[in-house]
Amino acid sequence: MSPAKRLRVGVLFGGRSGEHEVSLASAASVIRALDPEKYEVVPIGISKDGRWLVGTSAQRMLPEVLKSGERVFLPPDPTAATLAPMAPVAGHPSITLDVVFPVLHGTFGEDGTVQGFLELAGLPYVGAGVLASAVGMDKDVQKRLFEHEGLPVVPYLAILRSKWEREPAAVLKLLKKKFRFPVFVKPAALGSSVGMTRVKAAHELPAALSLAGEYGTKIIVERAVNAREIEVSVLGNDEVQASIPGEILPHREFYDYTAKYLEEGTRLMIPAKLTKKQVAVFQDYAIRAFRAIDGSGMARCDFFLERRTGKIFVNELNTIPGFTSISMYPKLWEASGLPYPALVDRLIELALERHREKARTKYSIELPAGSGGALEA
Ligand SMILES: Nc1ncnc2c1ncn2[C@@H]1O[C@H](COP(=O)(O)OP(=O)(O)O)[C@@H](O)[C@H]1O
Ligand SMILES: [Mg+2]
């Protein structure tokens, strides 16, 4: 392919969520894996306060892009599909993009907001669309869809923060009636185990509920299961594939923020030690969970395998999973026969394929000639 025909890929990274730093690590790996013969990468950093900054070819390191990149904006105008400089400078043209790879984790990146924006701008983008992204960020709505699909989820309750604040006694009574301890209390729409508590006794509930409420308007309470944590990578649009399962072996009481990002010690076991039959069930559940939320492109499906009973529960789907070269999502594909660069190629193909498929959809009705007058009145 001649250099002129290279696809221009905007890699969105950073972002306003608590997972800003994780995103930098993921994006650096994605950029390294994009074959320069096929792609021209435009790194687009989003600062913690939400500014969009574009890197020049001199700025090889992503933190530099965030510090001194050129400030740009993306007009929500599909006829442009172009990153425009915020303050036009002679010799700095707008940058036209062919496809966008959002490597953003969490709020304002993985939750459908950026995806909606890219839809308005008419740009193809990697991964889940608006609906699946939004559902993927909401542990409550997600579980309801899993249940509707007949997938087993851990017994749970969703409680509005406003209800907890208005009627704490009633909420505590309800929880004590429904659950035995321990339970997990977590914000419904957040990742990285932030705001989450493993509650061992009833008197610890109020602090846990208030903490979770600091991070969102809806709180999830669910039975704690003593379980192995199994994960499966999913890839595809209408045709969906599941990877071999892997296992997370946290070195702490559970897979909390410290275990995820601060301390080494958590191990990934790939493949997970499972029977053939269990592998088939995990893969089937992962694909059905993906379809239940209307997934596209990619997702990582996380499970609990209860130690005592052998029961499998779907925990959650992540629509933009960790993407560093040592992250579970790409590692599972590698172990399933799809190396990291080929995975990134495939994700871009899937983004373009979905864009083409959607372009066939009619969004307005064509009125017969001469009938426009009636609507103009
Ligand atoms: N019901 C539960 N039973 C046992 N462990 C849990 C439960 N809920 C969460 N955990 C532990 O907390 C971690 C993070 O919870 P999760 O619901 O996956 O939130 P996040 O979106 O932050 O990853 C899990 O990987 C697991 O270690
Ligand atoms: Mg999780």
Side-chain angles (χ1 to χ4, degrees):
M1 202 182 270
S2 74
K5 292 244 182 71
R6 291 192 304 170
L7 270 189
R8 197 176 283 150
V9 185
V11 176
L12 272 174
F13 68 93
R16 291 163 63 190
S17 84
E19 290 160 282
H20 179 98
E21 281 76 16
V22 190
S23 157
L24 257 67
S26 290
S29 295
V30 168
I31 290 171
R32 253 197 312 277
L34 286 167
D35 179 355
E37 299 264 307
K38 290 195 248 172
Y39 308 106
E40 180 191 343
V41 174
V42 178
I44 309 161
I46 302 179
S47 65
K48 284 186 179 169
D49 56 4
R51 283 172 298 138
W52 286 40
L53 300 149
V54 117
T56 62
S57 50
Q59 289 160 327
R60 285 262 149 255
M61 304 302 288
L62 299 185
E64 284 171 26
V65 175
L66 283 167
K67 244 184 258 143
S68 54
E70 179 169 18
R71 205 160 163 198
V72 293
F73 71 102
L74 182 67
D77 172 351
T79 62
T82 282
L83 284 174
M86 206 70 144
V89 181
H92 289 207
S94 297
I95 304 166
T96 310
L97 300 171
D98 295 311
V99 58
V100 174
F101 198 142
V103 193
L104 301 163
H105 305 302
T107 323
F108 305 122
E110 193 175 348
D111 60 355
T113 50
V114 160
Q115 288 73 15
F117 196 57
L118 295 169
E119 291 285 342
L120 284 179
L123 282 168
Y125 55 92
V126 168
V130 174
L131 178 65
S133 300
V135 173
M137 267 307 277
D138 188 311
K139 295 186 201 299
D140 168 39
V141 176
Q142 189 174 136
K143 281 184 207 286
R144 286 191 247 161
L145 291 174
F146 294 158
E147 283 179 319
H148 186 262
E149 171 59 33
L151 297 169
V153 301
V154 171
Y156 77 102
L157 258 186
I159 295 152
L160 290 177
R161 167 174 76 189
S162 58
K163 185 172 166 77
W164 161 238
E165 288 168 353
R166 250 185 301 114
E167 305 166 26
V171 168
L172 290 174
K173 193 172 160 202
L174 179 72
L175 293 178
K176 284 183 216 164
K177 198 169 144 215
K178 176 164 170 90
F179 293 104
R180 281 194 296 161
F181 293 87
V183 294
F184 269 83
V185 178
K186 41 181 131 167
L190 212 73
S192 291
S193 309
V194 171
M196 184 177 296
T197 314
R198 185 172 187 275
V199 171
K200 293 174 204 76
H203 72 268
E204 297 169 11
L205 273 177
L209 290 161
S210 296
L211 177 71
E214 284 178 33
Y215 294 96
T217 57
K218 206 162 49 170
I219 304 165
I220 295 274
V221 180
E222 63 184 41
R223 175 162 83 79
V225 283
N226 179 359
R228 290 169 64 191
E229 297 194 53
I230 307 293
E231 304 189 340
V232 173
S233 295
V234 181
L235 181 67
N237 288 339
D238 296 352
E239 302 283 322
V240 189
Q241 287 172 288
S243 73
I244 56 163
E247 179 166 4
I248 299 277
L249 300 162
H251 66 300
R252 294 169 59 85
E253 187 182 29
F254 68 97
Y255 199 30
D256 62 3
Y257 188 87
T258 306
K260 279 180 181 169
Y261 307 121
L262 302 181
E263 285 180 8
E264 291 182 13
T266 292
R267 286 187 305 129
L268 309 189
M269 177 81 95
I270 300 172
K273 285 204 178 82
L274 299 165
T275 65
K276 265 202 184 130
K277 214 167 137 195
Q278 284 173 318
V279 169
V281 174
F282 280 114
Q283 290 176 329
D284 173 55
Y285 283 7
I287 290 173
R288 283 166 59 198
F290 185 79
R291 292 213 166 111
I293 71 158
D294 203 17
S296 53
M298 64 173 160
R300 196 191 68 225
C301 190
D302 299 350
F303 298 92
F304 296 129
L305 172 58
E306 195 168 35
R307 291 178 202 278
R308 194 175 54 83
T309 60
K311 268 199 80 168
I312 294 170
F313 300 97
V314 180
N315 174 27
E316 60 166 349
L317 271 179
N318 289 287
T319 52
I320 308 186
F323 227 108
T324 72
S325 55
I326 55 160
S327 295
M328 190 62 117
Y329 184 81
K331 278 270 178 205
L332 288 177
W333 280 122
E334 215 169 78
S336 308
L338 190 65
Y340 195 119
L343 171 62
V344 172
D345 275 349
R346 181 77 191 120
L347 284 167
I348 289 176
E349 268 171 33
L350 287 167
L352 297 172
E353 177 192 297
R354 188 186 47 178
H355 192 73
R356 278 195 300 273
E357 181 58 27
K358 279 171 70 172
R360 300 198 296 126
T361 307
K362 282 186 190 169
Y363 294 106
S364 60
I365 38 167
E366 283 148 34
L367 298 170
S371 63
L375 291 179
E376 275 163 24

